[in-house]
Every structure is written in C-alpha cells, then in structure tokens.
Amino acid sequence: MRIILLLITGFMAFLPARAFAGETSSLDSGDTAWLLISTALVMLMTPGLAFFYGGMVRRKNVLGTIMHSFMILCAVSIVWVLWGYSLAFGPDIGGIVGSLEWFGLTDIIHENAPAAPTVPHLIFMMFQGMFAIITPALITGAFAERMKFSALLVFSILWVTFVYAPLAHWVWGGGWIGNIGALDFAGGTVVHISSAVAAAAAVMLIGRRKGYLREPMPPHNLTMTILGAALLWFGWFGFNAGSALASGTLAAIALVTTNTAAGTAALSWTLAEWIHRGKPTALGAVSGAVAGLVAITPAAGFVSPLSSIVIGGGAGVLCYFAVSVKPKLSYDDSLDVIGIHGVGGTWGALATGLFASLAINPDGANGLFYGNPSLLKTQAVTVIATYAFVFIVSIIILKLIDWTIGLRVSEEDEFNGLDQAVHGEMGYHFGLGGGGFSPTVHTKAEAISPKPAPVEINKAES
C-alpha cells in the first residue's frame, strides 16, 4: 500500500510539473519581480491620494474624503477580477471592448500575459487593476465634501465598467486607438484625461459647495497633503516605469523622465506662483509636482530626459494658471482635478506627439520634432475622442444615479460635515476650529443662515 501511495503521489506531482513547464518556460524572474514591486507601488498611490486629498478639505470632511479612496480600492478590486479586466484586456470585439471570456479570471490563472509574455498573466492583471482603482479615486477630488457615499460607490462601479474598461481596451487592449498608432505609455488619456472629464461632468450635475466663493475653505492640514504627494511621487515610479512591463533599459528611461518632469514642474509652478502671487506656497509646490507626474505619464517611455524637462516645465505653468482662473469661471472643482489632471494630461498627450523618438523607444514612433507631424494629429484625435466618450457616458451614469438614489447629501449634512453626518466619526478629537468643525450637529436653520460677503478663494492663494 505504501508503494502504491508513493507512486500516486509522484504521478500527481509530475503532472502539474509537466503542465507548467510549457506555460512558464518563458517567464523571467527579474521582469516578474519588477512587476510585482510596481503593482505594490501603484497600489500605494491610492492611499497616498487619500492623504493628498484629505489634507486639502475642511477638517469636518477629512475622514469622508479618505474613505472615498479606501472604499474604491476595495470595490474596484472585486469588479476588476470579476469582469473589469476581461472587458479591458479580453479578446477584442470590434476594436471597442473586450469579451467576457476571462470573467472571473478562471481561464488565465496558469498563462503568461499576452502583453507581457515574460510575466504571469495574473501579475499583469493586478498591475492594470491598480490603474483602474486610482482613476475613479482621482475623480472624487472634484465633488469632495458634498456627494453621497452610496452614490459614490455606485458611480465608481458603473464608471469603471462602462467608461474605464472600454477606454483601456481602446488604448492598450487591442482597440481602435492603439491600432491607429496613438501613444500612451502609462495612462495620460486612460487615467488622467478620463478622470478630469468625468470630474467636469460631476461638477456640472452636483453643483458647488454651499458657501463656495463666499466663505473661506482653506486646506485644514497641509502636512497631510505633502505626505500624500510624497507617496504619490514614490508610487509613480511603479506607475510609469512599471509600464515598461520588464526590468530593463525602458523601465530606467521611464523612471528618469518621471522624476525629472516632477521636479521641473514643481519648480515652474512655484516660480509662476511666486511671480504672480508674491509667495511660493507648499501647496503650490506639491501640486506642481503632481502636475508634472501627470504630464509625463503618457510620454515617460517615449521621450528623452531633456524632453521631460520641457514637458514638466510646461505642465507646472499651464496647470498653475488653469487652477488660478477657477474662481473667475465660478465652477467648484474642489481639489482641482480638472486643472491638474485635465490640463496636465492633455498637455502630456499632445507633448508625446511632439517629443516622442524612436531612438528612445523603437516600439513607439517619432513625433513632430523628429520629422513626423502625423503623430501629433493622432494624439489630438485620441484626446478629442476621449473627451467626448468619457463626458457623454459619465453624464448618463450620473443622471441615472441622481434619478434613483440621488447624488448630493442634504444641506444639513453638508454643513455639519460628512464625517459626522455620514460616517458617525470625527477625524480629530482635540477641540473646535479647522474649517468650521464641531462635534455638535447643527440645525437646518443654522445651515442656511446668511453668509459673509463674497471673497475669492482659490488653491494658489491657500
């Protein structure tokens, strides 16, 4: 009996070994390790974003704002495994969307990734999933301090399904944008432009915060925001350099261009603000760094370090002035998603059409400054198509939610703060202040009492 059991055990062990031998023979341990690390780095960006956004809201909304990012991390993780990844990267249907053949990932567990044949398919899936997670989290900065928590969860699930997944398929999954030769190394259109356009749709439908432009709404904890920006910068190395999908020269190029653009943009934003407002602020410096990271994202693996200086410098100045004009246009994009991710992402996508070089990446294309003006036209078409698609579908999703469960919290809840009203908690327990926070629940009559005379408040002055 012992001999029979040994034979059966040996036979069962031998079968998987032979089955895996053909499936994993092309795996590269270095590439796999790098993508594992990159996935973890990109995951850290969403908690980093929670701190970045959390420090910029009023004290009474800090927990609610952090909860947005944290719960999106949880919800989209499940959506991505069940159907999101299959829609984005599954077998192509007419260049528009992936099929549901990979629903639940059952058929890909033991495969190598088609887009990255030296790494396991599941690692590539998780890496891309972290992009799908942070994109709706970015949108939350536009409607911070006033959206229902239930509406946020429903919106995030529907938006990833009907906006993010098809757009990712268009660009990276074998869809029509990739097929026309557009370049987006790590998500200029898929992540940044899409989140900004959806943010614009949300701002239009949800409306402004009560008291916006009539009462001060300064960030309550800039040290938290600076910490969040540092975590974002750190994670962005995985975001961009990880998009090389291998541990090699291309990853090194993307890492260098990412860091260089971020530093340049922080300096150019700070200089522009110093000249324009008279003081260089910490909030401006970290906002500039994020603007540079956004702008270099589509170009990171296609341009030289010198080009990344130009891209980063342009991003800092352009995004600063985009944020500065917000009060004059009277729209309430609470945490400047449109000004940073919209303007920065658009500039980055178009700049890729200017500075891309085959000498940097033979799998890319030459841009306008290297003798190929057609790439700039292709990038422009991609930007316009992304704007149109994302805006239309986002409006439809937001309207459906508004008609059913509603988008916005009550006026009393908004006045008292979402931490207390929605979550029954307080971010801090050491007294009053910090954006009007009080553990006491106020009445509606107090909430709609007359407000002070109008004042202009914007991010650059905070």
Side-chain angles (χ1 to χ4, degrees):
M1 179 62 70
R2 182 179 297 176
I3 294 174
I4 293 173
L5 288 174
L6 287 172
L7 289 172
I8 292 173
T9 304
F11 181 72
M12 292 177 67
F14 178 72
L15 283 178
R18 292 192 63 180
F20 278 89
E23 294 168 354
T24 62
S25 59
S26 61
L27 290 181
D28 182 277
S29 60
D31 294 346
T32 301
W34 172 234
L35 208 59
L36 282 166
I37 293 169
S38 295
T39 301
L41 286 169
V42 182
M43 179 272 169
L44 186 63
M45 291 176 70
T46 299
L49 181 71
F51 283 119
F52 185 70
Y53 280 172
M56 286 195 284
V57 297
R58 290 168 288 180
R59 185 188 297 179
K60 62 185 179 181
N61 294 312
V62 57
L63 288 181
T65 301
I66 290 174
M67 275 284 282
H68 287 173
S69 293
F70 188 83
M71 293 309 296
I72 286 173
L73 172 61
C74 300
V76 177
S77 291
I78 298 170
V79 169
W80 195 247
V81 166
L82 290 178
W83 65 80
Y85 178 71
S86 191
L87 290 174
F89 291 93
D92 177 63
I93 300 177
I96 301 301
V97 72
S99 75
L100 288 173
E101 184 177 328
W102 296 343
F103 181 92
L105 309 180
T106 304
D107 294 333
I108 70 169
I109 291 177
H110 301 308
E111 295 180 352
N112 294 9
T118 60
V119 301
H121 202 156
L122 288 180
I123 298 302
F124 176 80
M125 179 279 301
M126 279 299 295
F127 178 68
Q128 293 297 337
M130 296 306 156
F131 286 64
I133 288 165
I134 197 171
T135 307
L138 290 172
I139 302 170
T140 65
F143 49 69
E145 304 191 294
R146 60 196 187 278
M147 191 176 191
K148 284 185 176 180
F149 187 62
S150 57
L152 167 79
L153 292 176
V154 174
F155 171 76
S156 299
I157 292 169
L158 293 177
W159 194 86
V160 167
T161 302
F162 295 105
V163 178
Y164 183 88
L167 186 58
H169 185 80
W170 290 4
V171 177
W172 295 325
W176 72 271
I177 286 181
N179 291 336
I180 65 173
L183 300 180
D184 188 351
F185 192 74
T189 51
V190 180
V191 176
H192 298 296
I193 293 178
S194 70
S195 61
V197 174
V203 167
M204 287 178 57
L205 291 183
I206 297 174
R208 300 187 295 184
R209 287 168 291 178
K210 300 300 180 183
Y212 178 67
L213 296 181
R214 297 198 308 274
E215 60 186 52
M217 297 182 179
H220 89 283
N221 190 339
L222 281 179
T223 53
M224 179 185 291
T225 293
I226 294 168
L227 172 63
L231 291 173
L232 284 169
W233 193 331
F234 178 70
W236 227 293
F237 292 129
F239 199 85
N240 286 358
S243 293
L245 303 178
S247 177
T249 301
L250 186 58
I253 291 170
L255 189 145
V256 171
T257 57
T258 297
N259 192 71
T260 305
T264 308
L267 289 171
S268 65
W269 179 305
T270 300
L271 182 59
E273 182 181 42
W274 203 344
I275 295 171
H276 186 224
R277 301 288 183 186
K279 292 182 179 179
T281 66
L283 180 58
V286 296
S287 298
V290 173
L293 292 164
V294 168
I296 198 60
T297 292
F302 299 117
V303 303
S304 70
L306 289 177
S307 295
S308 71
I309 293 176
V310 180
I311 293 172
V317 174
L318 290 171
C319 293
Y320 168 73
F321 284 107
V323 168
S324 295
V325 301
K326 184 178 68 172
K328 296 178 176 60
L329 300 177
S330 296
Y331 70 93
D332 186 12
D333 171 15
S334 305
L335 308 180
D336 297 313
V337 182
I338 299 169
I340 292 178
H341 296 274
V343 174
T346 300
W347 161 240
L350 297 177
T352 304
L354 297 174
F355 297 103
S357 170
L358 286 170
I360 298 297
N361 187 343
D363 293 327
N366 282 325
L368 175 65
F369 295 150
Y370 293 89
N372 181 24
S374 65
L375 179 61
L376 180 59
K377 296 177 183 177
T378 301
Q379 296 296 104
V381 169
T382 299
V383 169
I384 293 169
T386 302
Y387 270 64
F389 170 71
V390 174
F391 185 78
I392 292 170
V393 182
S394 297
I395 284 285
I396 293 171
I397 293 171
L398 289 162
K399 280 286 189 183
L400 288 173
I401 295 172
D402 197 26
W403 291 336
T404 51
I405 62 175
L407 287 171
R408 188 163 181 157
V409 298
S410 69
E411 196 166 332
E412 281 187 19
D413 287 350
E414 184 177 344
F415 181 78
N416 287 305
L418 304 190
D419 291 0
Q420 178 98 356
V422 177
H423 304 290
E425 299 174 296
M426 296 182 293
Y428 307 98
H429 291 270
F430 45 78
L432 307 180
F437 174 81
S438 170
T440 303
V441 176
H442 295 275
T443 65
K444 186 173 182 179
E446 292 172 306
I448 60 175
S449 59
K451 303 295 189 298
V455 294
E456 281 198 1
I457 301 295
N458 62 53
K459 188 172 185 177
E461 295 174 320
S462 298

